[in-house]
Amino acid sequence: MQVTRCIFISRCKLLKSQRSILLKKTRKIIAAVIAAMTAVTSITACSADYSHIDGYSDVENARKLYASLYSAELTVTDKGTGTVTQELTFCYDQNDTLSYSYFGTDGNTKYYEYHNGSEYNYYSDGEWHTLVSGDQNYVSYNRTNKMSMTDEGMIFIKPDCVTGSEVKETADGKTVTMQYDVSKLNDSMSAQLGLVGDLDSFSVVYNLDRDGYCTSMEQIGYATKDGAQGKVDYLMTITHMNDVAAVEKPEVDGSSGNKSENNTDNSSVAESTSSDNSNR
């Protein structure tokens, strides 16, 4: 079984092809605590049995349910500051082609992407840039070739590092809380945790609805870097599951319009609509 995990999402780390565009076009990388805490790692655990972990099967099921969604809105908030650090809205059309709108920030730099299914647009240097099929670094997604943020790895779990867990029934479903062995996380994810430092404690709280879907995931911990300890607390919420009819291009203050890679202006980008998918 190939298990993919993530600690909160840095867009630049997740999509290497688009990261290379950002590097080439702006020479900047969005980097912050979330950039380090979002890395995607994977392990092969074909023979591992994690049935002894309370809530493990619930979380694994929620991961699969998330990857099966036709549409949703996802928001990541830094609970320490109240800042929304990432927003993603996505939907698939009747041909299973993905359209999405993305916003991310490290508190200083803001980054935007928009894909209408045929054109990939990213915002940098005060204007939109457009790539189409055939352009270098152009990428598109569907339900087979999934974009990382629409796949199950968005819901973090690293069962080989879990030291304890608890499941509580709630009026809306259940809450699963898992505590992690930070020494194992620090060893296995040292490269990804470089900006954060060494974790001193780490836990994840999953809220699942009655159908098993994950409606929120909060990652809470303390980390020490250069002798100073700080709290890490990020909340991811998933809403409007299978209930997004269209994805709109983000509005950016001060945008000067679109520019294609051959420097011709584009007056607008078409809105992408999804097929009529019934609510789960």
Side-chain angles (χ1 to χ4, degrees):
M1 178 178 64
Q2 188 72 16
V3 184
T4 304
R5 292 106 168 93
C6 77
I7 297 184
F8 270 128
I9 315 314
S10 160
R11 184 64 170 163
C12 295
K13 286 182 177 292
L14 284 176
L15 301 181
K16 293 182 179 178
S17 61
Q18 287 150 343
R19 178 178 60 180
S20 67
I21 296 171
L22 188 62
L23 285 167
K24 292 177 181 178
K25 301 298 179 181
T26 69
R27 304 294 179 182
K28 298 176 182 178
I29 303 176
I30 300 174
V33 170
I34 59 170
M37 293 296 288
T38 303
V40 174
T41 61
S42 63
I43 64 171
T44 301
C46 299
S47 60
D49 180 8
Y50 299 113
S51 60
H52 63 284
I53 301 176
D54 291 341
Y56 170 76
S57 60
D58 295 312
V59 175
E60 277 299 314
N61 181 60
R63 285 157 50 89
K64 292 178 173 60
L65 289 174
Y66 177 75
S68 73
L69 291 173
Y70 278 90
S71 65
E73 292 184 6
L74 184 149
T75 303
V76 176
T77 303
D78 181 344
K79 293 288 291 296
T81 63
T83 301
V84 173
T85 59
Q86 297 183 87
E87 292 179 318
L88 173 74
T89 301
F90 72 88
C91 67
Y92 292 92
D93 65 14
Q94 63 271 20
N95 297 315
D96 284 342
T97 299
L98 180 71
S99 298
Y100 70 87
S101 171
Y102 174 81
F103 161 77
T105 182
D106 64 356
N108 297 308
T109 303
K110 294 181 179 180
Y111 179 62
Y112 299 85
E113 291 180 14
Y114 172 66
H115 205 309
N116 65 7
S118 60
E119 295 176 331
Y120 165 62
N121 304 266
Y122 66 97
Y123 184 81
S124 69
D125 298 329
E127 62 187 2
W128 284 97
H129 300 264
T130 300
L131 295 174
V132 297
S133 180
D135 289 338
Q136 185 180 8
N137 294 316
Y138 173 79
V139 64
S140 63
Y141 302 97
N142 53 48
R143 293 189 68 82
T144 301
N145 176 36
K146 296 180 72 70
M147 191 251 288
S148 297
M149 292 184 74
T150 68
D151 211 351
E152 63 182 47
M154 279 301 298
I155 300 176
F156 174 88
I157 187 170
K158 196 168 176 60
D160 57 318
C161 297
V162 172
T163 59
S165 62
E166 181 182 25
V167 179
K168 289 185 178 180
E169 300 295 329
T170 67
D172 299 320
K174 64 180 63 176
T175 298
V176 179
T177 303
M178 293 187 180
Q179 292 81 34
Y180 282 83
D181 183 330
V182 293
S183 64
K184 289 184 178 180
L185 288 179
N186 288 330
D187 288 342
S188 63
M189 303 183 69
S190 59
Q192 294 83 7
L193 293 170
L195 289 175
V196 177
D198 290 330
L199 290 173
D200 300 315
S201 65
F202 188 72
S203 63
V204 183
V205 180
Y206 313 85
N207 285 308
L208 313 180
D209 68 14
R210 293 178 180 177
D211 296 319
Y213 287 82
C214 181
T215 57
S216 70
M217 178 183 70
E218 185 172 5
Q219 297 180 335
I220 308 166
Y222 285 89
T224 299
K225 183 175 178 61
D226 299 328
Q229 186 183 65
K231 185 175 182 179
V232 178
D233 189 347
Y234 287 94
L235 174 68
M236 179 180 77
T237 58
I238 306 169
T239 59
H240 299 286
M241 288 182 273
N242 290 337
D243 196 30
V244 177
V247 176
E248 298 181 352
K249 185 178 180 180
E251 294 185 4
V252 181
D253 292 338
S255 172
S256 62
N258 272 35
K259 181 176 289 187
S260 67
E261 293 304 286
N262 59 9
N263 293 325
T264 59
D265 290 333
N266 295 287
S267 59
S268 64
V269 179
E271 181 182 83
S272 172
T273 58
S274 68
S275 59
D276 294 330
N277 296 307
S278 59
N279 290 351
R280 58 174 177 78

